[in-house]
Amino acid sequence: MRRDIAIVVFPGFQLLDAAGPVAVFEMAERFRPDSYAISVLAPGGGAVRSSSGVSLAAAPLERKRFDTVIVSGGTLAQVEASQPGIVAWLGDDAWRRAAGVCSGAFFLAEAGLLDERRATTHWDAAERFRLRYPKVRLDADRMFVRDGKVWTSAGISAGIDLALALVEDDLGPGLARRAAQQLVVHQRKHGGQSQYSVLVEQGGRTGRFGDLIGWMRARLIEPMTVERLAERAAMSPRNFARAFVAEIGATPAKVVEGLRLEAARVAVETSHLSLDHIAASTGFGDASRMRRAFVRAFGMPPQSLRRSAGG
């Protein structure tokens, strides 16, 4: 069954928000022909200039039903300027499944499609989104979120992960994995993974905690209390906790668990070590505790993730 995919853009859209999902569906189509037909749409159609200056040729917004509509993001000023035409078109009679990449979630929220639903968006726009759309259950820590027939993703490259998840939903994990491999996406991210991982790698917005993050990663099996981390950073616990959240957007405890999950996931997917051994060597202590953390973060236990990676 062929699925008609509409990628919606607007003046000033982020190019990768559109091009990333297009590439994913193209690869899926190569492996299973006649699965997808892709259209790029925009209010008024024509050549639509992205924020990088590169333009895409778009057809006008059509009054037809698509299987999936994916709305790209861009700067919030450009998003707000383009909302009226796109939001008016976004009635749920136009699609079976709708998605917003990055700040594309603002279009879905403005149309009321996210009311009382879970959603995510780029971390840098999260506070503005939360204030503007209080009816949406924003989970800004996620790479992408599915709530029923509506999907949203974090910033820019997360649109590739979202599109791979859509392909998996349509055609199964095996084909989605082949598409990811063809795109040289090293590991397809799961929706539960934190979008703050980039800030963690950088040590925060200013790099202030770079050395501390490296120190934490080298000592995952050791206790990581706020008091110990604050001492290492030569700060009082209260000031440290406040500064850490401001720099990274997540609490120290959440980052510690994220670092442990990252190490444990790699071991689960790439080794034959027992789950007890992996749990002990990554700071979870026991396999049961690690399992609960995996289910929270990835939506599946370690055994399922290992089978998926090996399939």
Side-chain angles (χ1 to χ4, degrees), residues 53-157:
V54 176
S55 296
L56 290 183
L61 295 174
E62 303 178 57
R63 294 315 314 178
K64 62 171 279 189
R65 184 172 177 84
F66 289 88
D67 177 85
T68 304
V69 169
I70 301 176
V71 186
S72 304
T75 67
L76 292 185
Q78 297 290 355
V79 166
E80 291 171 356
S82 302
Q83 275 184 332
I86 294 175
V87 167
W89 176 81
L90 264 178
D92 60 10
D93 60 338
W95 44 267
R96 176 184 70 88
R97 186 172 60 182
V101 179
C102 192
S103 55
F106 280 72
F107 292 96
L108 304 186
E110 189 70 18
L113 301 177
L114 295 177
D115 287 356
E116 309 306 327
R117 293 183 185 271
R118 292 175 57 247
T120 192
T121 190
H122 192 287
W123 59 265
D124 200 32
E127 191 57 32
R128 188 165 179 178
F129 186 98
R130 185 177 284 109
L131 292 172
R132 185 163 181 174
Y133 304 111
K135 292 183 180 180
V136 181
R137 303 203 305 273
L138 185 68
D139 189 348
D141 190 35
R142 297 303 190 219
M143 293 299 295
F144 63 86
V145 170
R146 176 186 186 178
D147 193 328
K149 59 185 181 179
V150 184
W151 304 58
T152 49
S153 82
I156 308 177
S157 65

Side-chain angles (χ1 to χ4, degrees), residues 214-226:
W215 183 86
M216 294 162 64
R217 185 177 275 115
R219 293 166 174 79
L220 294 179
I221 64 172
E222 300 177 14
M224 291 287 172
T225 63
V226 169

Side-chain angles (χ1 to χ4, degrees), residues 245-268:
V245 171
E247 281 281 320
I248 292 179
T251 65
K254 194 166 190 65
V255 170
V256 169
E257 181 172 84
L259 292 173
R260 286 172 173 159
L261 277 167
E262 174 191 355
R265 178 184 59 79
V266 170
V268 165

Side-chain angles (χ1 to χ4, degrees), residues 2-291:
R2 190 184 73 172
R3 297 167 174 83
D4 291 316
I5 309 293
I7 309 291
V8 180
V9 299
F10 51 89
F13 74 98
Q14 166 56 239
L15 185 62
L16 190 57
D17 285 2
V22 167
V24 170
F25 292 116
E26 175 196 356
M27 291 303 166
E29 175 70 12
R30 287 189 191 182
F31 292 124
R32 191 168 297 176
D34 208 31
S35 292
Y36 295 109
I38 306 167
S39 301
V40 177
L41 307 180
V48 183
R49 185 181 175 89
S50 70
S51 59
S52 67
V54 176
S55 296
L56 290 183
L61 295 174
E62 303 178 57
R63 294 315 314 178
K64 62 171 279 189
R65 184 172 177 84
F66 289 88
D67 177 85
T68 304
V69 169
I70 301 176
V71 186
S72 304
T75 67
L76 292 185
Q78 297 290 355
V79 166
E80 291 171 356
S82 302
Q83 275 184 332
I86 294 175
V87 167
W89 176 81
L90 264 178
D92 60 10
D93 60 338
W95 44 267
R96 176 184 70 88
R97 186 172 60 182
V101 179
C102 192
S103 55
F106 280 72
F107 292 96
L108 304 186
E110 189 70 18
L113 301 177
L114 295 177
D115 287 356
E116 309 306 327
R117 293 183 185 271
R118 292 175 57 247
T120 192
T121 190
H122 192 287
W123 59 265
D124 200 32
E127 191 57 32
R128 188 165 179 178
F129 186 98
R130 185 177 284 109
L131 292 172
R132 185 163 181 174
Y133 304 111
K135 292 183 180 180
V136 181
R137 303 203 305 273
L138 185 68
D139 189 348
D141 190 35
R142 297 303 190 219
M143 293 299 295
F144 63 86
V145 170
R146 176 186 186 178
D147 193 328
K149 59 185 181 179
V150 184
W151 304 58
T152 49
S153 82
I156 308 177
S157 65
I160 294 174
D161 302 301
L162 182 145
L164 286 166
L166 293 171
V167 169
E168 181 173 324
D169 191 51
D170 294 336
L171 306 176
L175 196 138
R177 187 160 51 248
R178 290 179 68 193
Q181 291 167 346
Q182 192 69 22
L183 290 166
V184 200
V185 178
H186 177 61
Q187 291 280 347
R188 185 177 72 77
K189 301 180 185 71
H190 299 272
Q193 285 183 261
S194 171
Q195 65 166 302
Y196 296 114
S197 58
V198 174
L199 287 177
V200 171
E201 290 299 321
Q202 295 173 348
R205 290 173 172 84
T206 67
R208 178 180 184 181
F209 292 114
D211 290 343
L212 178 65
I213 294 295
W215 183 86
M216 294 162 64
R217 185 177 275 115
R219 293 166 174 79
L220 294 179
I221 64 172
E222 300 177 14
M224 291 287 172
T225 63
V226 169
E227 290 74 18
R228 187 180 185 204
L229 296 175
E231 181 181 7
R232 178 71 187 180
M235 300 172 68
S236 73
R238 178 178 296 182
N239 287 339
F240 167 75
R242 183 166 54 244
F244 193 89
V245 171
E247 281 281 320
I248 292 179
T251 65
K254 194 166 190 65
V255 170
V256 169
E257 181 172 84
L259 292 173
R260 286 172 173 159
L261 277 167
E262 174 191 355
R265 178 184 59 79
V266 170
V268 165
E269 293 184 336
T270 64
S271 78
H272 297 290
L273 295 171
S274 72
L275 298 184
D276 284 328
H277 179 91
I278 293 171
S281 65
T282 55
F284 284 105
D286 61 72
S288 177
R289 183 180 171 196
M290 184 175 75
R291 183 186 186 281

